[in-house]
Amino acid sequence: MARIFITNDDGIYSEGLRKLARALEPLGEIIIVAPDREQSAASHALTLNRPLRLLQLESNEWIVDGTPTDCVNLDVLKLMRDARPDIIVSGINFGPNLGDDVTYSGTISAAFEGALLNIPSIAFSALVGEHFSFDRCAEFAAALTQRILEGDRDPHIILNVNFPVGAFNGVKVTKLGRRIYSEGIIERMDPRGRTYYWIGGGKPTWHPGAGTDFEAVEEGCISITPLHLDLTHHASIQRLKPLEELLAAVAKG
């Protein structure tokens, strides 16, 4: 029987997590470890400056007063250390994780932590709007998870899946889109006359681009984007090689 670990960044009581867990139950043993509160935009944060609390709610369910990355580490290295999960599934996030926004996402980072631990991982996120439902997203998530469990996939490459609003018109394997950032900071005054700020207040817009995750969901398709943690820009290595000789004397003092 497959061992399936589920987490998220919306917190233990998220409807998306509950619907996902229910849909995956027929595939194997389900273990849930999730934050005790919303951790959206937590990115790949790991809690190092204070102790973490792990509280068991059910026989297969725990909450953590930390980030999604903390949840993955506590599950894999503590709760399931004797028999690691066969797959890590993160989500279903209430809201999309498209393009450049994957760098902020706690949902995506939980899957990336799985990749670092050599475990196949998938992140699921859903656009929210009229006629939105987690049910059909969870049904698709179960089908994809089963495919991954039955196949042979590089655990260092995660799958970032985004569901469109409304009926699904198909599935597209995509690349990351590019977000246009505007009105990033909103400034307001509180009742005591002190200034405060909200980050990310503007509605996101996107550069047009064929084959992107944004284009896919705009067309009503489910977007599946393969991601990996190698941030090296390999094409620049040869171009920058002359710096080795030019700056050698400075480096040696």
Side-chain angles (χ1 to χ4, degrees):
M1 177 178 288
R3 292 167 62 80
I4 303 171
F5 168 53
I6 302 175
T7 190
N8 71 353
D9 75 355
D10 288 329
I12 190 71
Y13 301 109
S14 162
E15 181 185 359
L17 181 141
R18 297 294 163 184
K19 294 288 179 70
L20 178 63
R22 194 171 302 125
L24 295 181
E25 280 179 358
L27 303 183
E29 177 188 1
I30 303 297
I31 302 294
I32 298 172
V33 182
D36 62 354
R37 68 201 71 183
E38 184 176 342
Q39 293 282 344
S40 295
S43 189
H44 210 151
L46 187 65
T47 302
L48 300 176
N49 59 354
R50 64 173 178 84
L52 292 167
R53 306 293 181 182
L54 182 66
L55 176 64
Q56 186 170 9
L57 299 181
E58 302 289 346
S59 60
N60 67 332
E61 187 175 313
W62 287 260
I63 60 173
V64 178
D65 61 339
T67 68
T69 302
D70 294 331
C71 293
V72 174
N73 277 280
L74 284 170
D75 176 77
V76 175
L77 303 178
K78 171 62 178 176
L79 297 175
M80 302 179 75
R81 63 184 181 276
D82 296 326
R84 287 192 169 197
D86 297 295
I87 193 166
I88 293 175
V89 184
S90 181
I92 302 168
N93 192 65
F94 188 75
N97 280 302
L98 300 165
D100 302 324
D101 287 350
V102 302
T103 60
Y104 303 109
S105 168
T107 305
I108 305 298
S109 293
F112 272 140
E113 192 66 13
L116 288 173
L117 293 168
N118 207 40
I119 300 170
S121 303
I122 314 175
F124 292 101
S125 305
L127 279 76
V128 179
E130 191 176 359
H131 307 305
F132 166 76
S133 170
F134 276 122
D135 293 315
R136 53 202 173 86
C137 300
E139 182 180 355
F140 180 90
L144 177 58
T145 301
Q146 183 174 12
R147 287 276 184 175
I148 299 304
L149 286 169
E150 293 173 350
D152 181 19
R153 191 170 65 81
D154 184 350
H156 300 109
I157 298 174
I158 75 162
L159 298 183
N160 179 33
V161 181
N162 280 275
F163 298 103
V165 175
F168 298 157
N169 296 327
V171 180
K172 290 191 175 182
V173 177
T174 61
K175 61 184 178 181
L176 292 177
R178 293 292 309 279
R179 182 172 172 178
I180 301 172
Y181 286 88
S182 61
E183 199 183 346
I185 304 291
I186 293 177
E187 182 177 330
R188 293 286 187 269
M189 195 78 70
D190 71 17
R192 296 185 179 181
R194 296 174 300 189
T195 303
Y196 68 90
Y197 303 91
W198 279 104
I199 296 176
K203 183 178 180 180
T205 55
W206 300 84
H207 290 283
T212 64
D213 49 5
F214 177 72
E215 179 193 63
V217 297
E218 280 289 286
E219 295 176 354
C221 292
I222 300 169
S223 167
I224 302 177
T225 310
L227 303 176
H228 63 101
L229 276 165
D230 182 2
L231 300 180
T232 307
H233 189 256
H234 294 275
S236 293
I237 292 177
Q238 197 58 40
R239 181 176 61 83
L240 294 172
K241 276 289 185 180
L243 292 178
E244 296 177 352
E245 183 176 344
L246 289 171
L247 298 176
V250 178
K252 295 176 181 178

